[in-house]
Amino acid sequence: MPADFRERLTRDDRAGRLLDLALARLTEAGLVRERTTQRTDSTHVLAAVGALTRRLELVTTEVRAALEEVARTAGHPLVGLVDEEWGRR
């Protein structure tokens, strides 16, 4: 599966376009300047990504717990709302 992702990313210079878009957004946000050397400490980047991942895991766990409680106590609101496609997403 990772090879499929890399293959799709290399088509039509998608990787270059993605980098250009990311740099444009970072420049707009004032996080990078044009035509200068940018440096970062990977420790800070990895810590920020780790914190975001932990927050996402917490949110996912809480949403799952809430839905399980609704399904357990009053499942009728979920009928027709939660289908197999919703579960895959």
Side-chain angles (χ1 to χ4, degrees):
M1 183 177 263
D4 294 337
F5 174 74
R6 283 191 295 271
E7 186 177 308
R8 287 193 315 268
L9 196 57
T10 58
R11 272 190 241 137
D12 304 321
D13 192 37
R14 290 177 181 175
R17 292 188 348 235
L18 182 60
L19 178 60
D20 290 343
L21 178 62
L23 288 173
R25 296 295 188 265
L26 291 169
T27 302
E28 289 171 10
L31 298 172
V32 296
R33 293 171 290 188
E34 292 187 37
R35 304 287 179 208
T36 61
T37 301
Q38 302 292 320
R39 293 182 180 90
T40 186
D41 180 354
S42 63
T43 304
H44 297 294
V45 173
L46 293 174
V49 168
L52 182 61
T53 301
R54 285 186 296 279
R55 274 185 259 152
L56 181 59
E57 287 174 5
L58 287 172
V59 168
T60 302
T61 301
E62 292 303 319
V63 168
R64 180 179 293 122
L67 285 173
E68 286 175 358
E69 183 63 19
V70 168
R72 188 180 67 75
T73 58
H76 61 280
L78 299 178
V79 173
L81 177 66
V82 179
D83 59 9
E84 190 173 320
E85 175 61 26
W86 188 90
R88 280 194 300 271
R89 284 186 287 159

